[in-house]
């Protein structure tokens, strides 16, 4: 055998060694937990045969605690690039079979390399996280590695889409990279995220809690809002990522992908003409409105289990990718509160960063009152959503379906926050507050002055009707140009799509500044 053939044979052997990671025994242990290996996950995520791997032969350089005797090719992370539906993406997948996926200086360098390449090429970066945390044997070098990754997350924010999947443990400082990315997906039962584990929590606070209770997928999907999706299986995670990528552009200089549809632009939805109940306090389901107006009734919801009084997600309208923001009257009457304001603001800012128009569907009676909200800073959190809409330069189309009262009217993409085209249904009530509340403020003393209860009731009803006729309709706002048109509900799809078409060449820039000072 020639020397060259021997070298080729050695290369093939080394590749096989690298692909086996921490060895078959550890791979079997991973499978027994219901988890896949790093390479299996990448194969599920990317188009078949598209993955090109980098740094397969990288090894750690640590000699502390006998680490020089335990060396694995690839050093606990698989990195490279491939395609999703033919579009370029960069990916890294932590390999739990090698030192529990613990982060070392060289492991961090591998991740940083693909993040740097993603920035240069203007392509999304996807991280598949499954790690025991920092590699203790490396001490501060591991911490420096985390910081290098975080800095790249920060600089890439708003330039390329960043997506994180949590497919196992993600604890301590490791949680901050996913927190800095645009979207986070977790698996139920096998993934968890927390800064401080159950052991220290018990020691410091005396609180007994399991990993799942402290930082499981269901907790972060419904209570904290840390994760946008909680999936049953890893296969579901990969499907979610692939679908998510289909709605968003490669980078902040590109437009989102156009998806042709056979759904007619001028399709009318007669059911919308009767969807608003006669009782102004009765709920209706905003999902029915959304599915009626978007292409093929297909809506890809984000943060479904968190702050359910506000709905956000992606759809196509006339083939154009749009972000949908809508109050949900079935949950807390559609009020805004701390969590829904955070949720809405974050989503609007993502859409603005990546040139995705926002369609806002309004039925909001106000902000949730009470000490819990006020002490929790609802003023600041509500300001985040106001700020997000006000700074956004993307096309913004707003449709007011029913209630739009007070400060919440302003927050939900009103004309003065540079809403481009603002429509209203004839059922819309746009006012400082509802008629009954307004009459209590304006005529309370006069009504109480009437000694006869019947006269009190008659006067109250008279004043409510007077206020209702004057303000609780869309025509007062339309008379000032705050509403561009009052539209028939059945034509909502057609009017929104025509509006988006007219706004496709919109150019708007904000004043030059180093950066804003968003209320945090």
């Amino acid at each position: 055998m020639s020397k060259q053939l021997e070298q080729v044979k050695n290369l093939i052997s080394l590749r096989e060694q690298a692909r086996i990671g921490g060895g078959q025994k550890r791979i079997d242990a991973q499978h027994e937990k219901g988890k896949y290996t790093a390479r299996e996950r990448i194969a599920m995520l990317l188009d078949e045969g598209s993955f090109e791997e980098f740094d397969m032969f990288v090894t750690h350089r640590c000699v502390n605690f006998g680490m020089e005797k335990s060396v694995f090719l690839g050093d606990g992370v698989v990195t490279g690039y491939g395609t999703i539906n033919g579009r370029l993406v960069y990916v890294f997948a932590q390999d739990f079979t090698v030192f529990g996926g613990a982060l070392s200086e060289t492991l961090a360098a591998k991740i940083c390399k693909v993040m740097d390449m993603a920035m240069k090429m203007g392509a999304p970066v996807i991280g598949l996280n499954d790690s025991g945390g920092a590699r203790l044997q490396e001490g501060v070098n591991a911490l420096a590695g985390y910081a290098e990754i975080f800095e790249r997350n920060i600089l890439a924010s708003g330039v390329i889409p960043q997506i994180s999947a949590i497919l196992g443990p993600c604890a301590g400082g490791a949680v901050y990279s996913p927190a800095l990315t645009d979207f986070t997906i977790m698996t139920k039962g096998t993934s968890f995220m927390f800064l401080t584990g159950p052991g220290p929590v018990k020691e410091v606070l005396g609180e007994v809690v399991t990993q799942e209770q402290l930082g499981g997928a269901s907790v972060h999907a419904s209570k904290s809002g840390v994760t946008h999706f909680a999936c049953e299986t890893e296969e579901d995670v990969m499907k979610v990522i692939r679908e998510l990528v289909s709605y968003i552009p490669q980078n902040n200089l590109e437009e989102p992908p156009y998806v042709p549809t056979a759904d007619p632009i001028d399709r009318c939805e007669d059911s919308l003409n009767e969807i608003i109940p006669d009782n102004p306090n009765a709920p209706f389901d905003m999902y029915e409105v959304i599915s009626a107006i978007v292409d093929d009734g297909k809506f890809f919801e984000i943060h479904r289990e968190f702050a359910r009084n506000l709905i956000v997600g992606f759809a196509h309208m006339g083939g154009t990718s749009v972000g949908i923001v809508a109050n949900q009257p079935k949950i807390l009457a559609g009020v805004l509160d701390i969590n829904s304001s955070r949720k809405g603001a974050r989503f609007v800012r993502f859409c603005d960063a990546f040139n995705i128009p926002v369609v806002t569907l309004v039925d909001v009676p106000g902000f949730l009152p009470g000490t819990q909200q006020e002490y929790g800073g609802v003023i600041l959190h509500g300001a985040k959503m106001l700020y997000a809409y006000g700074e956004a330069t993307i096309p913004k189309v707003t449709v007011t379906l029913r209630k739009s009262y007070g400060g919440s009217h302003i927050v939900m993409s009103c004309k003065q926050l540079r809403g481009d085209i603002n429509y209203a249904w004839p059922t819309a009530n746009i006012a400082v507050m509802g008629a009954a509340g307004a009459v209590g403020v304006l005529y309370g003393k006069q009504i109480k002055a009437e000694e006869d209860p019947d006269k009190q009731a008659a006067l109250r009803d008279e004043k409510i009707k007077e206020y209702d006729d004057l303000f609780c309709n869309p025509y007062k706002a339309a008379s000032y140009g705050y509403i561009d048109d009052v539209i028939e509900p059945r034509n909502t799809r057609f009017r929104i799509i025509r509006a988006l078409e007219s706004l496709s060449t919109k150019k708007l820039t904000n004043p030059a500044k180093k950066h804003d000072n968003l209320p945090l």
Side-chain angles (χ1 to χ4, degrees), residues 26 29 35 46 63 75 117 123 126 154 186 195 214 221 226 262 276 304 322 365 412 420 471:
R26 290 175 182 172
K35 297 162 64 177
L46 302 180
V63 295
D75 199 38
M117 293 191 74
I126 301 167
I154 293 163
M186 296 180 71
L195 278 169
L214 186 61
V226 166
I276 302 295
R304 182 180 183 86
V322 298
M412 293 297 293
D420 294 299
F471 290 111

Side-chain angles (χ1 to χ4, degrees), residues 174 202 213 236 489:
K202 182 179 179 181
Q213 292 168 336
D236 292 337

Side-chain angles (χ1 to χ4, degrees), residues 14-31 36-39 53 56 58 60 69-78 93-102 107 110 135:
L14 288 173
R15 285 193 181 279
E16 288 301 317
Q17 182 183 335
R19 290 192 181 103
I20 205 73
Q24 191 59 48
K25 186 177 179 181
R26 290 175 182 172
I27 290 173
D28 293 341
Q30 185 83 337
H31 289 162
Y36 288 95
T37 66
R39 284 187 168 79
E53 187 171 348
M56 180 182 273
V58 164
H60 70 75
K69 299 173 186 175
S70 187
V71 176
F72 296 89
L73 295 181
D75 199 38
V77 67
V78 181
Q94 292 171 335
D95 186 352
F96 197 80
T97 70
V98 176
F99 302 120
L107 191 155
K110 287 182 65 173
R135 200 171 295 178

Side-chain angles (χ1 to χ4, degrees), residues 474-485:
Y475 301 106
K476 196 68 173 179
S479 72
Y480 291 109
Y482 303 155
I483 293 295
D484 296 299
D485 197 10

